[in-house]
Amino acid sequence: MTFSPAYWQSRLDALRAAHRVPGAALAVFADGRIHELASGLLHRGTGVEATTDSVFQLGSTAKIYTATLVMQLVDAGRLDLDTPVADILPEFAPAAAPGADKEITVRRLLSHTAGLTCDFTYDSGRGDDCLAGYVRAARNVALDCPPGTAVSYSNVGYTVLGRIVEVVTGRTWDQALKERIVAPLGLTHTMTLPEEALAFRTAMGHLPGEGPEPEPAPAWDMTPRSAGPHGRVLASAADVLRLAKMHLDGGATADGTQVLGARAVAAMQRWEVDVPDRWTVSADGWGLGWALYDWNGVPGYGHDGAATGQYTYLRVIPGADVIVVLLTNGGGARRLYADLFRELLADLAEVRMPPPFAPSAHPPAVDMTPLLGTYRREGVVITVGVAADGTPRLRHEFADGMRDFSPPLELDLVPLSATVFAATGPSLGQDWTPVVFAALVDGTPCCYIGMRCAPRSTAA
């Protein structure tokens, strides 16, 4: 199907307004060319309009940039996927896990199977040694689960990968990204540092306010520089698409420059692990960096990202030669993504996306007995029980270094199946949060929230 810019501009405008998203930028590769659209405002307080060259925070989509850097080094023979991280970073040794450092490999970091926790935030300063300082601090953080026993999304793992890039190349992660990806691909609207974004039209994130419309966030960016490899690349929608296009084209640029070898490109897209929680990031499996999708037999890959009130969605459908990138700055961004991509991918690639995550009108009856108990990962304690009226309940509380992050959340659980539940409560608004029960390789029960694995520590 031919891409019609006028039609899709009208759909973007209408859906953005319906879901109260302040501003959005859309880039689509179809019919052999890049199409760019924009809608709304970059900042509701200033009234600055979103344009196709506007720069947004990409959040976790930054992980694809770091994974690409790592695979360049693997492709060049300077790094091995199955090398223990401790052999490269001797200072890296997670606490309370003797010997586990030898089981944490580059491959497992890329595929989120290293067992490292996700939510360890440490400000190691603005200097070029910030990643080295972060890795030293991370040695005191406990593993969420033993390496190789489960997939569990980890920001820490990608920050460690960023430090590996620095050690192998002798450059900071920011410099390596500019020299090895940004420059060869001609990405004129891609950067990593806040001060670099000042030269561009830059989106402000928006958060829920007292009224129906989201309000500008209290700060444009609340992450330290050390978050770069897992969560801070700034780019326009078309620049994100150009990175994905390089992967779609077997690692080559439009002029034939081989930025990444074809074997490394294929390895990144190869299925490494199934994902029990297929709803939080819409992934069915994970490769070496890429989230992998199976839309009723149509394969694809991509990544989502979230920053301070900004949300990114990237999907690649290789069989149809189609790429779609959506950058947003708040409001009902996920609902905009779901509605817009469902129409776009059906029209351009004959993809049938699954319906939004939600329980049915008549949930099945489920025996909660095997699931009851306390589940724990670094910084989080999850208690699953049953209320007096028989309603399954979940208490989500922060602990350890995150103890003061938020008051405990008390949530009702509505079953979709014997192991998949939709959590609801006043703190979640109108959205349903997936809660998925699974098991580690050794059979230990675990609970997934946000694609983070929490093994059961105490059964009821």
Side-chain angles (χ1 to χ4, degrees):
M1 185 70 69
T2 301
F3 183 86
S4 169
Y7 173 79
W8 289 111
Q9 180 70 62
S10 69
R11 292 303 293 145
L12 176 62
D13 290 341
L15 291 171
R16 179 198 59 75
H19 295 302
R20 302 185 186 277
V21 174
L26 177 70
V28 177
F29 180 78
D31 312 321
R33 55 174 294 202
I34 297 174
H35 307 269
E36 299 178 68
L37 306 175
S39 179
L41 303 177
L42 295 180
H43 192 308
R44 289 191 64 244
T46 64
V48 174
E49 294 183 352
T51 55
T52 56
D53 61 351
S54 298
V55 169
F56 290 71
Q57 296 184 50
L58 304 186
S60 282
T61 304
K63 292 179 173 67
I64 294 302
Y65 295 75
T66 298
T68 301
L69 284 173
V70 170
M71 293 305 292
Q72 284 180 329
L73 300 175
V74 171
D75 193 42
R78 301 174 66 183
L79 194 60
D80 189 282
L81 285 170
D82 297 310
T83 296
V85 172
D87 290 356
I88 308 165
L89 307 177
E91 69 277 21
F92 177 73
D101 54 326
K102 294 298 183 182
E103 299 297 320
I104 299 174
T105 62
V106 174
R107 182 188 302 276
R108 285 176 170 166
L109 292 181
L110 286 167
S111 60
H112 296 287
T113 56
L116 292 175
T117 195
C118 183
D119 303 314
F120 173 66
T121 300
Y122 175 75
D123 189 349
S124 50
R126 285 272 301 165
D128 287 351
D129 62 348
C130 65
L131 294 189
Y134 181 97
V135 169
R136 286 194 298 270
R139 69 180 293 120
N140 297 318
V141 178
L143 294 174
D144 283 345
C145 57
T149 64
V151 60
S152 188
Y153 195 80
S154 176
N155 287 338
V156 174
Y158 269 77
T159 305
V160 173
L161 285 169
R163 177 57 182 156
I164 289 174
V165 168
E166 293 187 335
V167 169
V168 175
T169 64
R171 311 290 281 169
T172 67
W173 171 81
D174 307 80
Q175 292 167 334
L177 185 65
K178 290 178 174 65
E179 295 167 3
R180 302 177 68 90
I181 294 179
V182 173
L185 290 178
L187 305 182
T188 59
H189 287 65
T190 300
M191 65 230 61
T192 61
L193 299 175
E195 58 268 27
E196 296 172 319
L198 291 173
F200 300 88
R201 295 174 71 95
T202 305
M204 181 72 181
H206 293 70
L207 301 173
E210 294 183 0
E213 299 293 338
E215 298 294 336
W220 176 74
D221 181 20
M222 294 187 284
T223 58
R225 182 179 173 185
S226 60
H230 79 249
R232 191 168 66 193
V233 173
L234 317 166
S236 65
D239 265 16
V240 177
L241 190 148
R242 291 183 181 99
L243 173 72
K245 181 71 165 54
M246 178 269 289
H247 282 269
L248 182 63
D249 291 341
T253 63
D255 65 4
T257 301
Q258 201 71 33
V259 175
L260 183 62
R263 290 179 61 185
V265 169
M268 289 182 68
Q269 299 170 27
R270 191 173 300 125
W271 203 285
E272 289 279 327
V273 62
D274 292 337
V275 177
D277 176 3
R278 304 196 311 273
W279 299 274
T280 295
V281 293
S282 307
D284 300 292
W286 221 272
L288 298 178
W290 288 113
L292 304 178
Y293 315 110
D294 180 355
W295 295 294
N296 297 301
V298 178
Y301 55 92
H303 213 286
D304 293 350
T308 306
Q310 302 195 43
Y311 306 93
T312 305
Y313 305 93
L314 163 62
R315 299 293 182 268
V316 184
I317 302 87
D321 210 28
V322 165
I323 306 169
V324 182
V325 178
L326 176 67
L327 309 183
T328 66
N329 63 347
R334 187 164 184 82
R335 293 187 288 278
L336 168 61
Y337 145 76
D339 288 348
L340 181 63
F341 277 43
R342 182 169 290 105
E343 294 181 24
L344 264 171
L345 297 186
D347 187 56
L348 300 176
E350 297 184 356
V351 163
R352 287 182 296 149
M353 287 177 56
F357 179 81
S360 70
H362 304 285
V366 171
D367 179 10
M368 293 296 296
T369 305
L371 309 177
L372 302 179
T374 300
Y375 300 77
R376 187 179 183 106
R377 64 179 178 87
E378 178 67 16
V380 172
V381 177
I382 299 166
T383 305
V384 178
V386 177
D389 63 359
T391 302
R393 299 296 302 275
L394 182 147
R395 179 182 174 88
H396 183 285
E397 55 189 318
F398 293 97
D400 310 317
M402 297 175 65
R403 183 176 293 105
D404 299 324
F405 186 79
S406 168
L409 304 179
E410 301 286 350
L411 305 173
D412 290 338
L413 297 178
V414 182
L416 278 73
S417 72
T419 57
V420 179
F421 295 76
T424 182
S427 59
L428 301 181
Q430 298 179 340
D431 293 327
W432 296 97
T433 294
V435 177
V436 180
F437 295 91
L440 306 184
V441 170
D442 65 2
T444 301
C446 60
C447 177
Y448 281 91
I449 298 178
M451 205 181 134
R452 280 82 156 161
C453 176
R456 189 163 70 185
S457 57
T458 306

